[in-house]
């Protein structure tokens, strides 16, 4: 039998100065997906390879440490706190969609179509400005402290919204409120991205996107108690009750949530504080470092070797002050193609998603019976269409890490194409068909939306992550600014014409997503550009091999 077929080539070559002799070398434990344990019977090479980790030049990426800490009570509490801050974003859209029909018929207001369009555009302009500034603020001053201030100001302006008596006052207060919502979105997702272990990051960020839907549902239930119909009711009480979660979240954020350890280590260069945060997370999650005999230590949470290697990695990976929050980096050669297509995609997602929410009550009122406007039927129908988004979290959760059927990029394309088809079918059906296909379209677009957030956050490094998310969010807010003008203009042609326009935009976004250079599934945060480029050029089999033979510190794969 030919033994050549059974010969295994060494994974690594140990250079001992003798080029004529190739010696097998056991990979370091950090290079493979196996956990080594030292025993009296362990081979000498294996013992030496494990001891090599104690070398001062060994690197332990922060993602590795987060994976060991795991997704536990600390992350769950952070997700709940930050999630209910994100509730404001979803609730604001529903509040506006109910507010406009009421103020158009309220004898004290009698707003014209132009005034409602202006009010809506001003709110989204506030979203836009806040999103543009958010990344710079968050990347310079941290995720946590600015977010606390934003949450408290959100509550203040929500209360002021309920007290306005003139149109100009309403425009100013709601624009300021929109500005603060624009500020909070990139900060929230930058913080969540950086405290989540990479093994579950995609799935958990999908679930975090579901808080937007929870905000919409919450606003609908409050509307059922505060409003008499979609055209009448106590809209001031609606403003007050929708804002209440912000107070509790602000207090909990101040007392419980710590700054992102990744921000402290790589941007603030306060490695000791970052380690303290990691130790706090480990304590809450009841994590203890592993001892050489395979057991768990009692104290401290991390061994001196783990701390030293993390410090070494932090010093070598830390970003210069000039690169932090640098907007020009978004259009550098490495990120230009990513940024432009991401902006188009987010612009369309916002225009279509908010456009459906905005135009649906007007469409139902235009094609429905008289009793539709004088009852709460319109609120219930809006609630039904929103509840159709709930399965999107489960679908996104399944698809985002599934390399065979989904992943980030492929899932986005499928959802956008499906959303475009659903919007097109709306035009062909009656009122019953409108509600049915609107529900399907919202489900698909919402799935695309909640996958887009982790996808975008993983495409950029820590130094510009919040800035990248902020500009993507800004692109979506620009879509929101144009949304009422496009929607109302098409609505003037026919009540169902806006949905035909939404279908065209969905297909455009799907094409932009197709142009993105790679999927971020299995790519570590802060992977170098060269590492990503090598990853993109590899076949799937080669990517799997990198799990076993790749470099330990700089490999983008985990």
């Amino acid at each position: 039998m030919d033994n050549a077929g059974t010969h295994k080539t060494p994974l690594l070559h140990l250079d001992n100065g003798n080029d004529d002799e190739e010696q097998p070398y056991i990979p370091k434990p950090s290079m493979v997906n196996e956990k080594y344990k030292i025993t009296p019977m362990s081979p000498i090479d294996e013992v030496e390879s494990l001891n090599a980790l104690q070398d001062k030049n060994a690197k332990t990426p922060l993602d590795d440490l987060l994976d060991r800490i795991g997704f536990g009570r600390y992350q769950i509490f952070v997700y709940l706190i930050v999630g209910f801050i994100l509730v404001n974003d979803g609730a604001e859209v529903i509040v506006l969609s109910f507010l406009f029909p009421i103020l158009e018929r309220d004898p004290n207001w009698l707003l014209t179509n132009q005034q409602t369009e202006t009010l809506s555009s001003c709110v989204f302009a506030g979203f836009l400005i806040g999103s543009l500034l958010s990344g710079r603020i968050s990347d310079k001053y941290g995720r946590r402290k600015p977010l606390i201030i934003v949450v408290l100001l959100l509550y203040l302006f929500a209360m002021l919204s309920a007290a306005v008596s003139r149109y100009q006052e309403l425009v100013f207060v709601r624009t300021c409120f929109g500005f603060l919502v624009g500020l909070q979105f990139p900060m929230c997702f930058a913080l969540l991205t950086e405290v989540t272990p990479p093994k579950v990051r995609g799935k958990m960020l999908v679930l975090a996107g579901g808080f937007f839907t929870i905000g919409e549902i919450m606003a609908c239930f409050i509307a059922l108690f505060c409003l008499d119909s979609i055209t009448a009711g106590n809209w001031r009480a609606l403003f007050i009750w929708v804002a209440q979660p912000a107070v509790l979240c602000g207090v909990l954020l101040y007392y419980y949530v710590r700054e992102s350890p990744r921000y402290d280590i790589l941007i603030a260069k306060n490695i000791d504080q970052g380690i303290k945060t990691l130790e706090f997370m480990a304590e809450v999650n009841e994590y203890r470092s592993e001892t050489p005999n395979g057991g768990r230590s009692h104290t401290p949470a991390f061994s001196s070797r783990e701390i030293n290697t993390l410090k070494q990695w932090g010093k070598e990976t830390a970003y210069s002050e000039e690169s932090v929050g640098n907007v020009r980096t978004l259009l550098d050669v490495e990120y230009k193609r990513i940024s432009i297509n991401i902006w188009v995609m987010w612009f369309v997602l916002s225009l279509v998603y908010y456009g459906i929410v905005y135009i649906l009550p007007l469409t139902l009122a235009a094609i429905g019976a008289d009793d539709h406007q004088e009852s709460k039927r319109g609120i219930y129908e809006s609630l039904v269409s929103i509840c159709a988004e709930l399965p999107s979290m489960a679908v996104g959760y399944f698809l985002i890490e599934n390399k065979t059927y989904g992943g980030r990029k492929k899932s986005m394309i499928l959802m956008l194409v499906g959303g475009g088809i659903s919007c097109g079918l709306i035009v062909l059906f009656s009122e019953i068909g409108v509600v049915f296909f609107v529900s399907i379209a919202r489900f698909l677009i919402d799935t695309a939306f909640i996958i887009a957030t982790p996808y975008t956050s993983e495409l950029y490094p820590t130094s510009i992550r919040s800035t990248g998310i902020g500009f993507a969010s800004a692109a979506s807010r620009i879509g929101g600014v144009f949304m009422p003008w496009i929607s109302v203009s098409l609505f003037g042609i026919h009540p169902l014409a806006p949905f035909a326009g939404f279908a065209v935009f969905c297909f455009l976004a799907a094409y932009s997503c197709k142009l993105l250079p790679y999927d971020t599934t299995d790519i570590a945060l802060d992977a170098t550009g060269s590492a990503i480029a090598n990853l993109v050029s590899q076949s799937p089999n080669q990517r799997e091999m990198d799990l076993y033979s790749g470099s330990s510190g700089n490999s983008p794969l985990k």
Side-chain angles (χ1 to χ4, degrees), residues 427-505:
V427 183
L428 304 177
F429 292 88
S430 63
E431 182 182 355
I432 297 176
V434 168
V435 176
F436 176 74
F437 285 109
V438 161
S439 299
I440 295 178
R442 291 186 64 160
F443 159 72
L444 294 170
I445 298 300
D446 187 58
T447 303
F449 229 138
I450 61 179
I451 293 176
T453 303
Y455 190 18
T456 303
S457 66
E458 293 169 346
L459 284 168
Y460 295 107
T462 298
S463 60
I464 57 169
R465 177 167 300 113
S466 191
T467 300
I469 300 173
F471 269 72
S473 179
S476 77
R477 307 310 184 180
I478 294 175
V481 171
F482 284 96
M483 175 272 296
W485 304 95
I486 295 174
S487 299
V488 173
S489 297
L490 293 175
F491 183 82
I493 299 174
H494 189 277
L496 297 178
F499 297 100
F502 297 154
V504 174
F505 280 110

Side-chain angles (χ1 to χ4, degrees), residues 85 88 137 145-161 173-181 183-184 187 243 246-247 250-251 253:
I85 295 174
N88 288 318
I137 294 172
K145 291 181 180 178
L147 190 56
I148 294 173
I149 297 173
V150 167
V151 170
L152 296 178
L153 289 176
L154 272 171
Y155 182 76
L156 173 63
F157 278 94
M159 295 298 100
L160 290 175
S161 299
V173 173
R174 296 316 288 182
T175 301
C176 292
F177 188 89
F179 168 76
L180 294 169
V181 171
L183 281 177
Q184 76 173 8
M187 295 178 185
V247 178
V251 174
L253 187 66

Side-chain angles (χ1 to χ4, degrees), residues 141-347:
Y141 302 105
R143 286 53 164 134
R144 175 181 171 271
K145 291 181 180 178
L147 190 56
I148 294 173
I149 297 173
V150 167
V151 170
L152 296 178
L153 289 176
L154 272 171
Y155 182 76
L156 173 63
F157 278 94
M159 295 298 100
L160 290 175
S161 299
V164 297
S165 57
R166 295 189 300 173
Y167 173 74
Q168 293 81 1
E169 295 173 352
L170 181 63
V171 170
F172 173 77
V173 173
R174 296 316 288 182
T175 301
C176 292
F177 188 89
F179 168 76
L180 294 169
V181 171
L183 281 177
Q184 76 173 8
F185 184 85
M187 295 178 185
C188 287
F189 274 98
L191 177 60
L192 294 178
T193 299
E194 293 170 2
V195 301
T196 307
K199 289 182 179 179
V200 296
R201 183 181 295 128
K203 292 183 176 180
M204 298 315 300
L205 290 178
V206 164
L207 295 182
F211 281 98
F212 184 93
T213 303
I214 293 174
E216 294 178 308
I217 294 174
M218 181 189 74
C220 281
F221 275 112
I222 295 175
L224 288 173
F225 289 97
C226 297
L227 304 181
D228 302 322
S229 68
I230 61 172
T231 59
N234 189 351
W235 56 270
R236 297 180 189 273
L238 181 62
F239 277 143
I240 293 174
W241 285 108
V242 164
Q244 295 311 306
V247 178
L248 178 61
C249 291
V251 174
L252 293 176
L253 187 66
Y254 178 81
Y255 283 105
Y256 188 82
V257 178
R258 305 292 179 90
E259 181 57 85
S260 161
R262 187 178 294 271
Y263 174 85
D264 280 333
I265 293 173
L266 298 183
I267 297 181
K269 299 181 179 65
N270 191 345
I271 298 178
D272 291 335
Q273 182 58 46
I275 292 174
K276 288 181 181 179
T277 301
L278 288 169
E279 289 176 340
F280 176 75
M281 293 167 60
E283 180 181 357
V284 175
N285 289 3
E286 298 181 351
Y287 165 83
R288 291 293 181 268
S289 60
E290 191 170 320
T291 59
N293 61 4
R296 292 288 176 179
S297 64
H298 297 287
T299 55
F302 306 120
S303 66
S304 58
R305 176 178 61 83
E306 289 173 323
I307 293 176
N308 289 335
T309 52
L310 181 62
K311 287 182 177 180
Q312 181 70 17
W313 175 79
K315 291 177 181 178
E316 295 183 4
T317 314
Y319 296 99
S320 64
E321 185 175 351
E322 293 76 15
S323 67
V324 174
N326 192 335
V327 176
R328 289 176 295 180
T329 306
L330 297 177
L331 293 176
D332 283 350
V333 175
E334 186 176 355
Y335 296 106
K336 183 177 181 179
R337 180 179 174 185
I338 292 173
S339 297
I340 292 175
N341 285 292
I342 281 290
W343 295 342
V344 172
M345 191 173 67
W346 278 76
F347 173 88

Side-chain angles (χ1 to χ4, degrees), residues 51-100:
N51 291 337
L53 288 175
Q54 299 178 6
D55 184 84
K56 65 179 181 179
N57 292 322
K59 298 177 182 178
T60 302
L62 182 56
D63 278 344
D64 286 347
L65 205 54
L66 285 173
D67 265 337
R68 276 182 267 167
I69 294 174
F71 191 93
R73 286 186 294 180
Y74 178 81
Q75 285 88 352
I76 291 173
F77 204 17
V78 171
Y79 267 70
L80 289 175
I81 294 172
V82 175
F84 276 99
I85 295 174
L86 293 170
V87 161
N88 288 318
D89 205 344
E92 173 69 2
V93 177
I94 296 300
V95 167
L96 288 178
S97 69
F98 288 142
L99 179 66
F100 295 146

